[in-house]
């Protein structure tokens, strides 16, 4: 077993910074009773100007005029922990949020897939940096040891043989023990964990009770640690709240990118993709505006999703000022990654066509791209527009039919030079109320083109209905 | 040995004609013998835009293109019609031998039609793209020409006769006349024939 522990020393602050358009501007989280706000955490821009944790808000604002603040929310931190667990679930089936501020997960079985530890470590760090979270990490044979080692080290990798010496060198106040226990031990002249290991167990148990012994046992891997394992959510739904109303689609781009990145991380964790998802815009003084985005194939790459969503949004008109943006995917679908280089000929063709189809539909709408279907129907309008009738099958129409059919026939008496052939009577449709009774002629237009025109039996007036190509 | 041969041998002079003939190896037969005979390479230039100048819908463009489209749709790749002047009447298209299940038509106009045409050409997955683009100017035509080359796709753009006088950067320009006759206005890699060509076949 190899357990990775990731410690997030600035989780609350960095979680809040992710929602800000400019993370480099001075910003601080505040906490405490109203009227007596104190700084809980500040970003580097604010710290450079003298803002420190523990300061009264008034003092901090006096030191740094541009300081923007938000209140610290424990529920928000918990939400970020859940999201990080979802991300880690992409690397391990055993992820636990047992420790506050930290995430532990088992990677022995994942190393075969993600390569040796140094490579996996680099990958974890890159992804965390992209997500915007500073962190420390350690890997050890059990979760308890990984958790305490990360207190003192960053990037330490400990195998079974090195575990004992690595633990022995730890200072007692870095173990996460109760304050009282640490003080008692330090008063006895003990400084390092190794010295504690040297004391007979019976004596320690008598003095400090079972809790300390249990903790030491867990560190050395002698006692199993029962961890509650993280289970990923079945659905994805995230909301972004704007500080001030957004009036233009362009203003949605930044939060949309963030939300899609989180959706991507969630999908990788579930080893799934989405076929459709929904954007819900919370409109000021109005009902929410829903935008459903359907894809032709299952996708999960945030870049692809963003591009498709963008083209989709180009056609959307905002119903009003937007206050919140929610991205939700209620159904995930099995995802089959496609490796382009392995495909050749028809398979690649089909894939390229599917991608093109998707792009066209995303921008122009589902109804703009139409197939050519022939229905078994005598009325020309119904043969192309009916859509519901049976298809024509193998029978080929031998009477002359024009290549182009006008959507609406129109009166054209003056333009017809002469009638060349006809009439052909088309009489049909009495059963559905759309009945027609027409005599069709092949006509020569004044400019020499050939047209398909009709006249009602006994009636006057010719109507243009099609062109022979 | 003449002076010209000396120049050619010393590679100081480069013959454009030869290069063009080489990349015309893949010209695609039009299905009209009289037309193939006069076009450089013996057919439609592949990976390029061919421009057809027409009076309006039904000026013979279908009679001209149907033999090619019928042949192309026998393979797997899709055929896309962008903003046709009217609804393609399936019975007639099928009678001409076109396989309908390969055909798709886009009912859009204006700038979206230009965008869609370019997307289809660049995607390199269509057998051919036929677009009716009265709104296309010379810049748009150049864009489409580049898109057709980069996507290695056969393209036809139909524009009204009013555009005849405008310069066009495409590889081949044809003007359709009544009674199934056409005039070659420009063909890259050869001199346009002076007389009209009858391509026969009534749709």
């Amino acid at each position: 077993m190899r357990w990775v522990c990731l410690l997030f020393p600035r989780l609350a602050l960095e979680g809040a910074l992710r929602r800000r358009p400019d993370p480099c501007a001075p910003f601080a989280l505040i906490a405490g009773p109203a009227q007596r706000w104190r700084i809980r955490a500040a970003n580097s821009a604010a710290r450079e100007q003298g803002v420190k944790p523990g300061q009264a808000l008034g003092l901090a604002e006096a030191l740094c005029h541009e300081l923007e603040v938000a209140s610290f929310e424990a529920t928000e931190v918990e939400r970020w922990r859940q999201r990080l667990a979802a991300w880690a679930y992409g690397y391990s089936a055993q992820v636990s949020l047992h420790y506050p501020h930290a995430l532990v997960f088992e990677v022995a079985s994942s190393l075969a897939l993600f390569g040796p530890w140094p490579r996996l470590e680099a990958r974890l760090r890159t992804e965390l940096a992209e997500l915007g979270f500073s962190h420390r990490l350690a890997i050890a044979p059990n979760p308890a040891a990984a958790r305490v080692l990360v207190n003192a080290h960053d990037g330490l990798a400990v195998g079974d043989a090195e575990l004992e010496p690595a633990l022995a060198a730890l200072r007692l106040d870095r173990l996460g023990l109760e304050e009282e226990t640490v003080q008692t031990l330090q008063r006895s002249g003990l400084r390092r964990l190794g010295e504690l290991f040297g004391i007979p167990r019976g004596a320690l148990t008598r003095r400090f009770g079972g809790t300390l012994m249990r903790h030491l046992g867990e560190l050395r891997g002698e006692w199993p640690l029962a961890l509650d394992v993280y289970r990923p959510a079945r659905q994805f739904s995230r909301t972004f709240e704007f500080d001030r109303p957004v009036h233009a689609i362009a203003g949605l781009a930044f939060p949309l990118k963030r939300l899609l990145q989180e959706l991507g991380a969630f999908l990788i964790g579930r080893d799934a993709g989405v076929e459709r998802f929904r954007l819900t815009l919370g409109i000021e003084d109005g009902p929410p505006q829903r935008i459903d985005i359907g894809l032709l194939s299952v996708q999960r790459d945030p870049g692809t999703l963003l591009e498709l969503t963008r083209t989709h949004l180009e056609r959307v008109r905002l119903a009003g000022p937007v206050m919140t943006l929610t991205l939700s995917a209620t159904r995930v679908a099995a995802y089959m990654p496609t490796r382009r280089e392995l495909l050749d000929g028809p398979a690649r063709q089909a894939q390229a066509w599917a991608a093109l189809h998707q792009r066209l539909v995303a921008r122009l709408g589902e109804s703009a791209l139409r197939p050519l279907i022939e229905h078994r129907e005598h009325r020309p309008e119904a043969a192309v527009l009916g859509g519901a009738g049976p298809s024509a099958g193998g029978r080929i129409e031998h009477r002359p039919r024009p290549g182009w059919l006008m959507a609406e026939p129109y009166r054209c008496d003056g333009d017809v030079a002469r009638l060349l052939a006809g009439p052909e009577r088309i009489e049909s449709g009495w059963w559905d109320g759309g009945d027609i009774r027409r005599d069709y002629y092949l006509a020569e237009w004044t400019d020499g083109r050939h047209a398909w025109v009709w006249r009602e039996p006994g009636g006057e007036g010719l109507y243009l209905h099609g062109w022979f190509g | 040995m003449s002076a010209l041969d000396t120049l050619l041998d010393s590679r100081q002079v480069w013959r454009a004609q030869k290069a063009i003939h080489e990349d015309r190896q893949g010209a695609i037969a039009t299905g009209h013998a009289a037309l193939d005979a006069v076009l450089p390479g013996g057919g439609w230039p592949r990976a390029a835009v061919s421009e057809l100048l027409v009076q309006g819908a039904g000026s013979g463009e279908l009679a001209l293109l149907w033999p090619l489209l019928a042949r192309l749709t026998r393979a797997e790749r899709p055929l896309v019609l962008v903003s046709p002047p009217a609804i393609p009447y399936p019975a007639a298209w099928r009678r001409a031998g076109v396989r309908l299940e390969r055909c798709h038509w886009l009912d859009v106009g204006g700038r979206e039609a230009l965008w869609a045409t370019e997307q289809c050409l660049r995607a390199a997955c269509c057998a051919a793209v036929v677009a009716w683009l009265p709104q296309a100017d010379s810049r748009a035509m150049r864009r489409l020409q580049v898109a057709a080359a980069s996507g290695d796709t056969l393209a036809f753009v139909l524009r009204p006769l009013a555009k005849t006088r405008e310069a066009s950067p495409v590889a081949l320009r044809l003007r359709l006349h009544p009674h199934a006759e056409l005039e070659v206005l420009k063909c890259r890699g050869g001199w346009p024939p002076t007389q009209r060509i009858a391509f026969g076949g009534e749709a």
Side-chain angles (χ1 to χ4, degrees):
Chain A
M1 303 283 268
R2 307 204 66 192
W3 287 83
V4 175
C5 180
L6 286 167
L7 182 70
F8 301 104
R10 289 193 284 279
L11 184 59
L13 178 69
E14 284 161 348
L17 279 174
R18 258 179 75 89
R19 305 194 152 237
R20 306 199 64 82
D22 179 13
C24 299
F27 175 75
L29 280 181
I30 52 176
Q35 311 307 324
R36 294 177 56 198
W37 294 109
R38 290 193 174 275
I39 301 294
R40 182 165 171 125
N43 71 352
S44 55
R47 285 200 306 270
E48 272 167 27
Q49 304 205 32
V51 178
K52 283 182 199 143
Q55 263 169 359
L57 177 58
L59 173 59
E61 282 177 336
L63 285 168
C64 174
H65 295 291
E66 318 85 281
L67 186 68
E68 292 203 39
V69 295
S71 65
F72 170 84
E73 304 281 349
T75 51
E76 195 64 18
V77 175
E78 185 51 35
R79 209 172 298 153
W80 281 114
R81 274 160 51 80
Q82 290 290 334
R83 288 180 202 176
L84 286 164
W87 163 78
Y89 198 75
Y91 291 99
S92 166
Q94 293 188 62
V95 178
S96 177
L97 291 166
H98 182 76
Y99 300 103
H101 308 297
L103 194 62
V104 287
F105 54 100
E106 202 279 324
V107 291
S109 39
S110 319
L111 288 177
L113 184 60
F114 294 107
W117 169 243
R119 198 183 306 162
L120 178 57
E121 180 186 352
R123 186 165 167 169
L124 294 176
R125 285 186 190 274
T126 318
E127 289 188 14
L128 283 172
E130 273 169 24
L131 288 169
F133 289 103
S134 55
H135 57 276
R136 295 220 301 269
L137 64 78
I139 180 168
N142 69 70
R147 177 65 190 88
V148 298
L149 287 170
V150 86
N151 283 340
H153 303 277
D154 184 20
L156 183 72
V158 174
D160 287 314
E162 305 105 52
L163 178 62
E164 190 87 15
L167 287 174
L170 283 176
R171 273 172 36 199
L172 287 179
D173 55 352
R174 292 290 187 85
L175 293 182
L177 294 173
E178 283 167 33
E179 192 66 18
E180 203 185 323
T181 314
V182 176
Q183 281 179 3
T184 315
L185 289 168
Q186 284 178 337
R187 276 201 290 270
S188 320
L190 297 169
R191 290 286 174 272
R192 306 265 164 194
L193 187 54
E195 297 160 23
L196 209 56
F197 285 154
I199 296 173
R201 292 179 185 209
L204 277 180
T205 317
R206 272 198 304 280
R207 179 67 184 78
F208 297 101
T211 324
L212 178 63
M213 286 318 297
R214 186 175 185 93
H215 190 60
L216 294 182
E218 282 168 357
L219 289 179
R220 295 159 111 174
E222 291 163 357
W223 287 60
L225 178 61
L227 293 175
D228 43 340
V229 178
Y230 167 81
R231 287 274 157 248
R234 302 180 68 81
Q235 301 186 342
F236 179 90
S237 179
R238 296 270 192 283
T239 302
F240 189 98
E241 285 173 30
F242 294 97
D243 292 341
R244 45 188 80 83
V246 171
H247 296 272
I249 286 282
L252 303 179
F254 163 75
L256 186 64
K257 193 173 164 194
R258 285 286 199 215
L259 291 176
L260 286 170
Q261 275 175 356
E262 287 169 30
L263 175 63
F266 165 82
L267 291 171
I268 289 176
R270 292 287 315 253
D271 191 22
V274 281
E275 239 172 341
R276 49 180 54 248
F277 54 91
R278 170 177 281 181
L279 292 175
T280 310
L281 309 177
I283 304 290
E284 199 177 33
D285 312 323
Q289 184 178 1
R290 296 203 173 84
I291 302 162
D292 284 309
I293 296 173
L295 313 172
L296 285 172
S297 61
V298 180
Q299 300 282 355
R300 77 170 170 213
D301 172 52
T304 314
L305 292 175
L306 182 65
E307 198 196 313
L308 291 170
T309 310
R310 270 207 188 126
T311 43
H312 211 102
L313 285 180
E314 279 175 14
R315 291 181 297 129
V316 169
R317 192 176 286 270
L318 292 181
V322 180
M323 298 304 292
T324 61
L325 172 65
T326 305
L327 172 65
S328 48
T330 46
R331 285 180 56 189
V332 298
Y335 178 71
M336 183 66 75
T338 41
R339 292 185 184 279
R340 278 163 198 275
E341 64 271 26
L342 292 181
L343 296 176
D344 56 336
R348 177 183 280 175
Q349 279 301 330
Q351 199 184 13
W353 169 244
L356 172 63
H357 194 287
Q358 191 152 317
R359 264 205 306 286
L360 295 173
V361 168
R363 169 136 164 190
L364 307 172
E366 204 113 9
S367 59
L369 185 59
R370 304 186 186 176
L372 215 53
I373 298 170
E374 185 181 1
H375 298 284
R376 195 183 311 168
E377 169 63 62
H378 290 291
R379 285 169 293 174
E381 295 95 327
V384 291
L385 299 177
S391 74
R395 195 179 52 87
I396 286 186
E397 176 66 67
H398 285 290
R399 284 164 295 185
R401 287 289 177 266
W404 300 123
L405 196 70
M406 311 307 289
E408 294 280 335
Y410 65 87
R411 189 82 181 261
C412 62
D413 303 324
D415 295 315
V416 175
R418 59 196 171 112
L419 297 178
L420 300 173
E424 178 198 340
R425 173 72 56 89
I426 295 183
E427 188 172 0
S428 183
W430 50 267
W431 58 87
D432 61 9
D435 52 331
I436 59 163
R437 197 170 132 84
R438 298 169 182 167
D439 286 331
Y440 277 88
Y441 296 90
L442 170 62
E444 188 176 277
W445 216 242
T446 44
D447 60 15
R449 290 185 286 166
H450 288 175
W452 203 40
V453 299
W454 57 264
R455 168 191 295 166
E456 291 197 328
E460 286 296 299
L462 291 168
Y463 288 83
L464 172 69
H465 204 174
W467 292 108
F468 291 87
Chain B
M1 204 188 242
S2 73
L4 187 57
D5 286 337
T6 322
L7 275 174
L8 284 173
D9 285 345
S10 63
R11 301 195 176 220
Q12 289 174 11
V13 171
W14 173 76
R15 280 175 95 158
Q17 187 103 28
K18 189 167 168 247
I20 284 163
H21 271 296
E22 274 165 8
D23 73 36
R24 278 299 165 75
Q25 288 296 310
I28 296 160
T30 63
H32 303 282
L35 186 55
D36 286 347
V38 298
L39 291 179
W44 301 115
R46 77 185 295 144
V49 174
S50 299
E51 183 183 354
L52 308 181
L53 295 153
V54 295
Q55 171 79 43
S59 309
E61 70 280 5
L62 291 178
L64 178 62
L65 291 177
W66 267 342
L68 170 79
L69 301 185
R71 206 168 63 242
L72 289 176
T73 52
R74 262 173 243 148
E76 288 297 310
R77 306 214 284 172
L79 163 71
V80 182
L81 311 173
V82 183
S83 56
I87 302 161
Y89 194 13
W93 287 67
R94 201 154 66 90
R95 191 176 164 200
V98 177
R99 279 179 67 184
L100 301 183
E101 59 270 34
R102 298 275 173 275
C103 301
H104 304 266
W105 63 286
L106 270 166
D107 187 13
V108 290
R111 300 203 54 78
E112 299 292 17
L114 291 173
W115 174 84
T117 310
E118 191 182 351
Q119 291 293 319
C120 293
L121 291 175
R122 284 196 188 279
C125 62
C126 301
V129 178
V130 188
W132 282 259
L133 302 171
Q135 70 274 39
D137 55 10
S138 157
R139 247 186 76 230
M141 294 301 282
R142 191 177 304 279
R143 264 192 92 103
L144 295 178
Q145 171 68 34
V146 171
S150 78
D152 191 16
T153 302
L154 187 60
F156 296 92
V157 173
L158 287 93
R159 297 205 296 166
L161 290 182
K163 300 276 183 181
T164 311
R165 266 169 294 160
E166 242 176 54
S168 176
V170 301
L172 177 67
R173 284 191 105 190
L174 305 178
R175 178 190 166 154
L176 298 188
H177 289 279
H179 311 295
E181 282 190 327
L182 62 80
E183 185 183 349
V184 182
L185 300 176
K186 171 188 174 184
C187 55
R188 199 190 283 163
W191 296 105
T194 45
Q195 75 283 22
R196 292 184 184 182
I197 295 143
F199 56 92
E202 195 62 54

